[in-house]
Amino acid sequence: MRRFTLADGTAAGSLCLGAMWFGTRTDEKTAFALLDRFVEAGGTLIDTADNYAFWAEGGAGGESETVLGRWLADRGVRDEVVISTKVGAQPTVPGTSWRESGEGLSPSAIRSAIEGSLRRLGTDHVDVYWAHVEDRTVPLEETVDAFASLVEDGTVGVVGASNHALWKVERARATARGQGRPGYTCLQLRHSYLRPRLDVADADRHVFGDVDEETLDYVRSEPDMSLWAYSPLMSGSYTRPDRPLHPVYDHPGTPARLAALQEVADKTGATVNQVVLAWLMGGDPPIIPVIGVSSVEQLDDALAAADLELDEDLRRRLDDAGGFGL
């Protein structure tokens, strides 16, 4: 499996297992099987959040971290994996959304959340800690200070921003640099091979959630920054007829990119999903896909992408198809 290195020197596999549904849609037995197989195959990077999955039936938030913590304790592999979790979007009022009552990014919220995450995970530190969504009600300097303090006291390895506007990320990084303190070195956004329309409002998609050319250019220019992509396989839409593409992909560029994707899959003997993941991991900049799977078979298909190399001609065919959105 390809490897990358976090800003603090921690080495990790370049394919990340997303644990969002562990403890809700994915029962504990299945979650353990997925985690076991992932580690057996050389995977190390596991992503969760304190609010996963409060919106699922029977969920309140914290279920994913709890199941992951039980697996870590049972298998005794904490030092073999890289744990990534998040703060900011756990509702504080039952029955409401993160937009209505999310815990936010105040220093007190961050400190309380990390204590809860450590307890559920059964560990004394997390390797990557994310600001899950923006909180513009809190002065940025206070959020930067709170995250930097966690890195400085060893509670957190590195910190990152998910679902943030790029200017907000850079302002936070500049604030941390000016103080000589740790700042965001990871960026997690929605990204896949197909390009969404940028002129269509969609209340269901997270604000600032999609990668664009400006994002890629920014990450290329920042040597300490890694880019992570959630929903890289778009909930099965590439391969499952019962999972139609979201309306934001309804534009002339989509058929061209789907055709290129199938052409490359046919030439390599790989699956379409494997080509998408290999395209992400082998690009410039390289991107860490956060994959969500519900069976070992699905996981094995994704893991095979870690060894798929796309030559220059195949990558050019993919890159040139359909343009970069509208």
Side-chain angles (χ1 to χ4, degrees), residues 65-79:
E65 290 181 332
T66 298
V67 168
L68 183 53
R70 284 201 283 261
W71 175 79
L72 290 170
D74 187 76
R75 303 306 197 250
V77 293
R78 176 64 186 92
D79 293 339

Side-chain angles (χ1 to χ4, degrees), residues 253-311:
T254 292
R257 286 181 86 81
L258 288 175
L261 198 57
Q262 188 62 58
E263 178 185 330
V264 172
D266 291 342
K267 287 184 177 180
T268 59
T271 66
V272 166
N273 283 344
Q274 289 165 358
V275 173
V276 171
L277 295 175
W279 178 80
L280 289 167
M281 290 186 284
D284 177 24
I287 296 170
I288 299 99
V290 181
I291 56 167
V293 294
S294 58
S295 70
V296 171
E297 291 75 20
Q298 289 178 356
L299 177 59
D300 282 340
D301 183 76
L303 287 168
D307 298 318
L308 177 61
E309 297 289 343
L310 301 175
D311 64 30

Side-chain angles (χ1 to χ4, degrees), residues 19-96:
M20 176 186 290
W21 299 116
F22 291 2
T24 49
R25 291 185 186 175
T26 302
D27 63 39
E28 186 166 310
K29 180 180 178 181
T30 303
F32 275 37
L34 292 170
L35 290 161
D36 288 343
R37 175 65 185 125
F38 184 65
V39 171
E40 176 190 357
T44 59
L45 188 56
I46 304 166
D47 183 70
T48 184
D50 68 340
N51 74 329
Y52 291 163
F54 77 84
W55 60 92
E57 183 177 355
E63 290 85 6
S64 174
E65 290 181 332
T66 298
V67 168
L68 183 53
R70 284 201 283 261
W71 175 79
L72 290 170
D74 187 76
R75 303 306 197 250
V77 293
R78 176 64 186 92
D79 293 339
E80 300 174 26
V81 294
V82 178
I83 301 297
S84 158
T85 193
K86 311 178 190 73
V87 56
Q90 167 65 9
T92 58
V93 178
T96 63

Side-chain angles (χ1 to χ4, degrees), residues 26-288:
T26 302
D27 63 39
E28 186 166 310
K29 180 180 178 181
T30 303
F32 275 37
L34 292 170
L35 290 161
D36 288 343
R37 175 65 185 125
F38 184 65
V39 171
E40 176 190 357
T44 59
L45 188 56
I46 304 166
D47 183 70
T48 184
D50 68 340
N51 74 329
Y52 291 163
F54 77 84
W55 60 92
E57 183 177 355
E63 290 85 6
S64 174
E65 290 181 332
T66 298
V67 168
L68 183 53
R70 284 201 283 261
W71 175 79
L72 290 170
D74 187 76
R75 303 306 197 250
V77 293
R78 176 64 186 92
D79 293 339
E80 300 174 26
V81 294
V82 178
I83 301 297
S84 158
T85 193
K86 311 178 190 73
V87 56
Q90 167 65 9
T92 58
V93 178
T96 63
S97 72
W98 63 267
R99 287 184 175 90
E100 295 169 305
S101 70
E103 64 201 326
L105 298 175
S106 69
S108 60
I110 291 170
R111 178 57 66 177
S112 175
I114 190 62
E115 290 172 355
S117 290
L118 295 176
R119 182 176 62 256
R120 288 184 291 272
L121 291 165
T123 185
D124 63 356
H125 71 286
V126 296
D127 302 289
V128 187
Y129 200 42
W130 300 87
H132 201 165
V133 292
E134 286 192 17
D135 181 0
R136 297 189 180 183
T137 70
V138 175
L140 185 62
E141 293 76 13
E142 293 183 11
T143 298
V144 169
D145 176 73
F147 277 115
S149 296
L150 292 178
V151 177
E152 290 163 349
D153 68 19
T155 303
V156 169
V158 298
V159 291
S162 176
N163 301 306
H164 276 55
L166 206 56
W167 71 265
K168 195 78 168 181
V169 174
E170 174 54 27
R171 183 168 295 179
R173 280 167 57 83
T175 299
R177 281 195 302 267
Q179 299 173 357
R181 306 184 72 196
Y184 296 143
T185 56
C186 304
L187 182 62
Q188 186 172 161
L189 299 167
R190 186 194 311 270
H191 190 42
S192 187
Y193 175 63
L194 293 185
R195 301 296 187 234
R197 292 179 64 117
L198 303 180
D199 62 339
V200 176
D202 177 12
D204 294 330
R205 294 169 71 88
H206 292 170
V207 178
F208 313 123
D210 289 291
V211 169
D212 59 14
E213 191 60 44
E214 187 69 17
T215 310
L216 298 176
D217 187 54
Y218 177 73
V219 174
R220 289 188 198 104
S221 71
E222 300 293 320
D224 66 336
M225 179 70 82
S226 63
L227 178 58
W228 305 31
Y230 67 79
S231 300
L233 301 178
M234 302 196 305
S235 302
S237 292
Y238 285 109
T239 58
R240 292 179 53 174
D242 62 324
R243 300 285 181 88
L245 290 171
H246 193 282
V248 298
Y249 299 103
D250 184 13
H251 61 79
T254 292
R257 286 181 86 81
L258 288 175
L261 198 57
Q262 188 62 58
E263 178 185 330
V264 172
D266 291 342
K267 287 184 177 180
T268 59
T271 66
V272 166
N273 283 344
Q274 289 165 358
V275 173
V276 171
L277 295 175
W279 178 80
L280 289 167
M281 290 186 284
D284 177 24
I287 296 170
I288 299 99

